[in-house]
Amino acid sequence: MSRLDSFLRRIIAQRDCLNSAVEVISGIKGPVIELGLGNGRTYDHLREILPEREIFVFDRRIAAHPDCVPDAAHMILGDIRETLPNARERVPALAALAHCDIGTGDAAANAEIAAFVGRHLVALLAPGAAIVSDQAMARPEWEPLALPAGVRPGRYHMWRVRP
Ligand SMILES: C[S@@+](CC[C@H](N)C(=O)[O-])C[C@H]1O[C@@H](n2cnc3c(N)ncnc32)[C@H](O)[C@@H]1O
């Protein structure tokens, strides 16, 4: 598969998983946590598909399209290793959805940050909340969710916090 095809499949999987999470969290109150603003594509998609939810975005820098930058109250700047453990100071309620998109080409670094993120997300999510992630980060508190049709297992990941 060409790198272009691989990229397209990853982006389509990301979009389809986020769309499918909307139904999963329909009965769960709470904001959305977005880990990795990047150029703001998934932030923009989340605010389109979940217009009634507050979205709190974490990144170490702002490098997004100017139309896709959260306001200061919803943009938590800094290394996630420092900001996530204190996130309840900024995120006022347990979240209904977390989307994690902070992977790089370094598999060992990805595994390390995914384990860290998983440990800290546990305290930030409501019962029944959905987790959508580019990295595998299974937790005993979470159960795997079926991926949308067409998304190959391992390309993207979804769990739900056990009620
Ligand atoms: C792949 S991009 C996110 C793309 C974004 N979801 C989009 O759709 O445009 C990954 C982002 O994660 C951020 N990131 C990676 N590791 C981080 C860390 N330890 N702390 C804070 N931000 C981090 C990077 O700065 C980068 O902006």
Side-chain angles (χ1 to χ4, degrees), residues 10-11 14 34-43 58-61 63 76 78-81 83 99-104 113 134 156:
R10 192 180 87 77
I11 294 295
Q14 184 178 58
E34 164 82 327
L35 301 180
L37 176 67
N39 70 25
R41 275 190 302 243
T42 50
Y43 167 65
F58 293 70
D59 205 304
R60 55 163 65 100
R61 68 177 79 89
I76 296 145
D79 193 301
I80 281 168
R81 279 172 278 234
T83 55
H99 174 227
C100 180
D101 185 20
I102 56 169
T104 65
I113 191 87
D134 66 332
Y156 230 70

Side-chain angles (χ1 to χ4, degrees), residues 60-143:
R60 55 163 65 100
R61 68 177 79 89
I62 295 178
H65 186 281
D67 290 346
C68 301
V69 178
D71 62 38
H74 294 87
M75 182 74 230
I76 296 145
L77 273 172
D79 193 301
I80 281 168
R81 279 172 278 234
E82 288 164 16
T83 55
L84 204 56
N86 304 315
R88 280 309 303 275
E89 292 170 9
R90 299 286 302 273
V91 182
L94 293 177
L97 170 64
H99 174 227
C100 180
D101 185 20
I102 56 169
T104 65
D106 181 337
N110 286 346
E112 190 188 326
I113 191 87
F116 174 89
V117 166
R119 275 200 306 281
H120 287 279
L121 276 183
V122 165
L124 299 173
L125 296 173
I131 303 98
V132 176
S133 174
D134 66 332
Q135 304 297 320
M137 51 180 194
R139 293 282 319 172
E141 299 86 351
W142 305 345
E143 58 194 14

